Amino acid sequence: MPRKPRTYWTDRAEFYVVTGRLQHYACFHCCKAFKQPFGSGERLCPQCRWPMTNMGTDFKAPPQKDTGQWRKVEALAEAGVRFFPSPPDGLPGERPVALAEVPAFLNRIRPPTAAQRLLAGRPQRSRAPREGKFSVQGQAPHQTFFLFGDRLTQGQHLEVWHSGIWQPARLWGWNGAGGPSHLVLLDEQGQSTGQLPLDPTLRLRWPQ
Ligand SMILES: [Zn+2]
């Protein structure tokens, strides 16, 4: 008699409730991961209150000072790649070793469609303005900020004109409307070098 094919849990939430396996929630601001039970809803970092990302049960947090590895796992997380056991062997599968390998890795696991390849080969002719100032709805501290019509949220990367150069920055903090309250200036390694209040005179642009 043929063996019954092995079945896999398809409902991850049920699996983790049954097994009690802890998830690794990562804070990309503190470069730390925290083991917590699976659950829905937003998890905030116990240290800095930044929203954390569930990187999966098999995630191994890089050393806190290894910013290159942290930027790598953040890039994977942004692309939806996590570290959950998966068929056929119950391991998370192959992952890139370094940040520089991430684009090729993503290309391999999700090859671009013909339309995406066509668009990628064309010069970008966006009519969006290169830079601008944000607009505000509501009164402080319950303000919502927009740049070129897009609502600004925590964690978004921007570039800000400051001290005579364009500097990378990230939206940060919480105001009364649940939106960001200021900009954190970043160096090339993604480390904070200071902060600016969200002032409507700031010159901003999306990262190039
Ligand atoms: Zn944190």
Side-chain angles (χ1 to χ4, degrees):
M1 210 174 104
R3 255 180 94 181
K4 193 173 165 235
R6 185 162 172 199
T7 52
Y8 288 93
W9 294 86
T10 48
D11 183 344
R12 199 175 273 163
E14 186 188 355
F15 173 82
Y16 293 123
V17 168
V18 170
T19 61
R21 276 192 82 179
L22 295 177
Q23 311 294 310
H24 292 83
Y25 288 88
C27 171
F28 295 119
H29 183 255
C30 297
C31 296
K32 279 190 172 181
F34 300 88
K35 285 186 205 164
Q36 294 185 0
F38 185 90
S40 54
E42 193 171 62
R43 292 295 165 97
L44 300 181
C45 172
Q47 293 189 347
C48 71
R49 314 304 291 165
W50 188 280
M52 296 195 292
T53 304
N54 184 357
M55 294 303 290
T57 47
D58 292 352
F59 177 67
K60 289 189 184 66
Q64 194 183 6
K65 293 206 181 308
D66 194 342
T67 43
Q69 283 296 311
W70 274 99
R71 294 289 80 86
K72 180 195 80 178
V73 290
E74 185 175 19
L76 290 173
E78 278 171 10
V81 178
R82 310 293 160 87
F83 296 78
F84 288 104
S86 52
D89 52 9
L91 297 170
E94 179 222 345
R95 294 289 183 267
V97 175
L99 179 62
E101 295 171 21
V102 170
F105 169 79
L106 294 176
N107 255 330
R108 198 159 62 243
I109 61 164
R110 289 184 210 130
T113 63
Q116 285 170 331
R117 282 199 302 274
L118 190 67
L119 281 172
R122 284 188 184 180
Q124 298 288 307
R125 275 197 307 258
S126 167
R127 280 185 294 158
R130 256 177 74 77
E131 64 161 273
K133 292 172 182 170
F134 66 77
S135 57
V136 187
Q137 285 183 9
Q139 295 294 317
H142 301 279
Q143 291 168 313
T144 313
F145 304 98
F146 296 85
L147 183 62
F148 308 136
D150 290 334
R151 185 177 170 173
L152 300 180
T153 59
Q154 270 93 7
Q156 275 177 323
H157 287 270
L158 289 168
E159 290 179 345
V160 59
W161 184 259
H162 183 65
S163 302
I165 52 165
W166 285 104
Q167 299 195 22
R170 197 170 197 186
L171 289 157
W172 173 245
W174 299 88
N175 71 9
S181 58
H182 56 273
L183 272 172
V184 175
L185 297 169
L186 303 171
D187 64 15
E188 272 132 42
Q189 277 76 47
Q191 297 288 331
S192 161
T193 59
Q195 56 175 263
L196 295 172
L198 278 178
D199 181 304
T201 61
L202 290 175
R203 287 168 63 191
L204 301 169
R205 67 183 188 188
W206 297 118
Q208 303 298 294

